[in-house]
Amino acid sequence: MTETAKTTTGSPDGFGGASAEELRALLLSRIQDVPDYPKPGVMFKDITPLLADAAAFGALTEALAELCVRYRADKVVGLEARGFILAAPAAVRAGIGFVPVRKAGKLPGATLGQAYELEYGTAEIEIHADALEPGDRVLVIDDVLATGGTAEASLQLIRRAGARIAGVAVLLELGFLDGRGRLLGALDSAPLEALITV
């Protein structure tokens, strides 16, 4: 496997007519830093002001929808919970289906589950067993890429369902946590797009 994952630099026309730099500046201006949350020493990146701004949220939705089209996705998978907020409108805008990946025990009916390691212990995520068709190209969307554990587990679930990975797209990548490094093997040369990296 070669390390071909990359960060979005934008098409010549940018996202929705805006350049990648203009989009990044708009999105960053609507993300609020909250010090010492959820514990002392942590600088939390709060995206709720971005979601409350129709222009910024619209530009984000358009950018994510363009990635769906660029990577020929048939479905979008959103990761619980803020990933739902970003992925669902992008899927609608791109004219494709949305599939939620949830914490274990939250979905009714038959599911596929995938456990993954946390810093202390394990967690499990699930997807409906019939949510993806064999051969579907799936773009995973989430708000933040931190350590990459949940995203990596979602890629394993998608492949177990018989679908293919079109890529992973996130609003914000926390580069100092190296989630990208963790995902490189699981991506198997599919792209990793971060609209903002800090």
Side-chain angles (χ1 to χ4, degrees), residues 15-16 23 27 50-51 53-68 85-94 141 171 195:
F15 292 104
L23 176 65
L27 298 179
L50 188 160
L51 302 175
D53 183 298
F57 193 14
L60 173 58
T61 299
E62 184 66 29
L64 293 172
E66 288 184 23
L67 291 175
C68 293
I85 300 169
L86 306 187
V92 170
R93 178 68 181 89
I141 293 179
L171 165 59
L195 299 180

Side-chain angles (χ1 to χ4, degrees), residues 1-7 71-72 137-140 145 155 158-159 163-169 180 183-194:
M1 193 224 117
T2 58
E3 295 188 9
T4 59
K6 60 187 184 305
T7 300
Y71 294 116
R72 302 181 319 280
R137 289 180 53 81
V138 179
L139 182 69
V140 176
L145 175 62
L155 299 179
I158 291 164
R159 287 195 176 100
R164 296 178 293 159
I165 307 301
V168 173
R180 180 176 292 268
L183 286 185
L184 282 176
L187 282 164
D188 192 26
S189 80
L192 169 55
E193 299 278 0

Side-chain angles (χ1 to χ4, degrees), residues 47 51 57 60 64 76-91 98-101 139-144 169-171:
I47 68 166
L51 302 175
F57 193 14
L60 173 58
L64 293 172
V76 169
V77 157
L79 305 184
E80 188 168 345
R82 288 184 300 264
F84 296 172
I85 300 169
L86 306 187
F98 165 74
V99 177
V101 166
L139 182 69
V140 176
I141 293 179
D142 203 5
D143 65 328
V144 174
V170 296
L171 165 59

Side-chain angles (χ1 to χ4, degrees), residues 9-75:
T9 56
S11 63
D13 297 325
F15 292 104
S19 72
E21 293 77 19
E22 291 169 331
L23 176 65
R24 183 178 187 279
L26 172 62
L27 298 179
L28 270 175
S29 74
R30 302 304 189 272
I31 296 173
Q32 182 177 5
D33 285 343
V34 181
D36 300 319
Y37 182 83
K39 60 183 181 180
V42 173
M43 182 65 75
F44 185 78
K45 300 290 187 181
D46 183 11
I47 68 166
T48 57
L50 188 160
L51 302 175
D53 183 298
F57 193 14
L60 173 58
T61 299
E62 184 66 29
L64 293 172
E66 288 184 23
L67 291 175
C68 293
V69 173
R70 182 184 306 169
Y71 294 116
R72 302 181 319 280
D74 300 305
K75 300 258 175 69

Side-chain angles (χ1 to χ4, degrees), residues 98-173:
F98 165 74
V99 177
V101 166
R102 301 218 56 192
K103 294 175 183 173
K106 299 290 187 180
L107 291 172
T111 60
L112 294 174
Q114 182 67 48
Y116 62 100
E117 296 294 322
L118 299 171
E119 185 177 358
Y120 300 104
T122 61
E124 186 175 359
I125 55 173
E126 293 180 333
I127 191 171
H128 274 126
D130 60 355
L132 300 173
E133 298 290 330
D136 274 348
R137 289 180 53 81
V138 179
L139 182 69
V140 176
I141 293 179
D142 203 5
D143 65 328
V144 174
L145 175 62
T147 61
T150 307
E152 181 183 38
S154 74
L155 299 179
Q156 293 168 341
L157 267 181
I158 291 164
R159 287 195 176 100
R160 285 177 52 208
R164 296 178 293 159
I165 307 301
V168 173
V170 296
L171 165 59
L172 185 65
E173 178 181 356

